[in-house]
Amino acid sequence: MTDDVAGEANADAVAGEADADAVAGEADADEAALRFNVDGEVVPADEATVDVRDRGFMYGDAAFETMRAYGGDVFRWEAHADRLRNTCETLQLDHGLSDATLRSRIDETLAANDLAEAYVKLSISRGVQPGKLDPDPDVDPTVVVYVSPLPRGGVDGEAVWDGPATLQTTKTRRASDRAIPSDAKTHNYLNGILARLELRTSDADEALMLDDDGHVAEGATSNLFFVDGTALRTPSLDGPVLPGITRDVVIDLAAKEGIPVEEGQYAPADVREADEVFLTNSTWEIRPVTTVDGIDVGPEPAAGSDGDDNQIGPVTKLLSRLFDERIETNFYD
């Protein structure tokens, strides 16, 4: 390499780093401009703090829900509130706040940030208690509402993901219901984090997690669906599977279209050999999968095509369209 070429390469690298730093700086600035709700008070991001003695920080002793707002309104709030209530009952965390109060704090936070399209996370911890593992029966909860802007949803919307997902089966297993109830969304997310850490040695961007018996459970942050030519299939809630809110919507959409839906126990090979695979969660909505354990799934790309859209199967496309139409009708029409 000549000195001139080397100099140009170094200059390009420095410019690339500068561009990356600029993007990161813009993201940090955007985050700093946001306002969050801590115990009923909307405050700037740099003032949104909790006590280091809070049990949510010390032990993961807290419940949360991740939601999505479309057109300024929370999607399926009642379902999220029910699941949050169930988690708090599992934790025996009697926070004493009504669904209406929690919803009003979300609405206040969205309004304070002038956000109509947003990611919303509502967390409730047991609060500050003496530094011991046993929780006290009296609870003074810490309640935090965190929001972040998202693109518009619906028919004219934009996906939050850059492209279809790639899945990799991980050695980290989903914890048994006998250990940590799968229907409870708690701050203890170490199981999913360990699975995601495994992906650092692969090109995958979501973990395919199994239960103790080797059956497919779910992703680290998503529910799993696949199509095998006979039915739309998804792991049963009898296993360690979170009852996803978007999962329920997809099952309902499929049933209304006359698409057979089966909830059962499946092996990783069933997913690798499927005709179509997709993931769901509140933020992604419906995200197609094109690779499982390094094996392509979905239709063969059309000759001369260079887009991932050609690898998305007809059932995935149909359900995605129906989901977008439901969002459009409920929040934008």
Side-chain angles (χ1 to χ4, degrees):
M1 181 182 289
T2 66
D3 290 344
D4 288 344
V5 173
E8 290 176 6
N10 288 336
D12 288 344
V14 170
E17 291 175 2
D19 289 343
D21 288 343
V23 171
E26 290 176 5
D28 289 343
D30 290 342
E31 176 86 1
L34 292 171
R35 298 171 68 82
F36 306 133
N37 193 309
V38 181
D39 292 333
E41 182 179 0
V42 178
V43 296
D46 60 358
E47 297 177 23
T49 59
V50 298
D51 197 305
V52 296
R53 299 167 297 169
D54 190 278
R55 288 182 62 91
F57 170 76
M58 295 182 72
Y59 305 117
D61 186 9
F64 80 97
E65 281 293 314
T66 297
M67 295 159 276
R68 186 156 176 177
Y70 299 100
D73 197 6
V74 176
F75 178 58
R76 298 206 67 200
W77 161 248
E78 291 80 7
H80 281 289
D82 287 345
R83 192 171 64 180
L84 179 64
R85 191 180 310 108
N86 179 74
T87 299
C88 289
E89 288 175 357
T90 298
L91 296 177
Q92 298 181 45
L93 195 170
D94 184 8
H95 53 75
L97 299 171
S98 68
D99 291 350
T101 297
L102 295 173
R103 176 60 188 268
S104 69
R105 293 187 185 184
I106 292 172
D107 292 341
E108 289 168 7
T109 311
L110 289 171
N113 289 280
D114 194 24
L115 286 178
E117 315 295 327
Y119 165 100
V120 180
K121 183 174 182 178
L122 169 63
S123 295
I124 306 177
S125 84
R126 207 179 300 268
V128 176
Q129 291 189 0
K132 61 179 183 178
L133 189 62
D134 293 343
D136 286 345
D138 295 330
V139 175
D140 183 12
T142 300
V143 182
V144 175
V145 180
Y146 172 96
V147 297
S148 179
L150 287 180
R152 185 193 192 279
V155 173
D156 297 321
E158 176 186 348
V160 301
W161 32 268
D162 294 331
T166 53
L167 274 177
Q168 180 68 45
T169 304
T170 59
K171 294 179 181 177
T172 300
R173 298 292 177 99
R174 179 59 78 203
S176 166
D177 266 337
R178 293 183 296 249
I180 300 176
S182 57
D183 62 349
K185 281 182 74 73
T186 73
H187 278 210
N188 188 336
Y189 240 67
L190 187 59
N191 189 235
I193 291 170
L194 290 173
R196 282 286 181 88
L197 286 173
E198 289 188 45
L199 302 186
R200 290 185 173 181
T201 60
S202 74
D203 294 328
D205 49 26
E206 176 60 310
L208 180 58
M209 301 182 70
L210 312 181
D211 63 19
D212 284 339
D213 296 320
H215 298 119
V216 172
E218 57 188 359
T221 62
S222 57
N223 289 116
L224 172 79
F225 288 85
F226 65 95
V227 180
D228 67 357
T230 303
L232 176 65
R233 305 187 188 278
T234 189
S236 168
L237 297 182
D238 291 336
V241 176
L242 180 75
I245 306 302
T246 307
R247 176 185 184 273
D248 284 348
V249 174
V250 167
I251 291 173
D252 179 61
L253 290 171
K256 283 182 167 54
E257 284 296 305
I259 299 172
V261 179
E262 179 188 277
E263 300 179 60
Q265 291 183 327
Y266 308 103
D270 294 327
V271 183
R272 290 192 291 265
E273 296 167 4
D275 298 323
E276 303 176 42
V277 182
F278 63 86
L279 305 170
T280 63
N281 67 28
S282 291
T283 307
W284 289 347
E285 303 173 328
I286 297 174
R287 185 178 184 184
V289 172
T290 54
T291 304
V292 180
D293 295 338
I295 299 171
D296 289 342
V297 297
E300 289 290 333
S305 68
D306 57 1
D308 290 320
D309 189 59
N310 291 286
Q311 286 183 265
I312 301 173
V315 175
T316 305
K317 285 183 178 179
L318 172 62
L319 292 172
S320 295
R321 177 175 63 78
L322 294 173
F323 186 93
D324 288 343
E325 289 174 354
R326 179 171 293 192
I327 296 299
E328 192 73 27
T329 298
N330 291 346
F331 296 96
Y332 301 115
D333 284 353

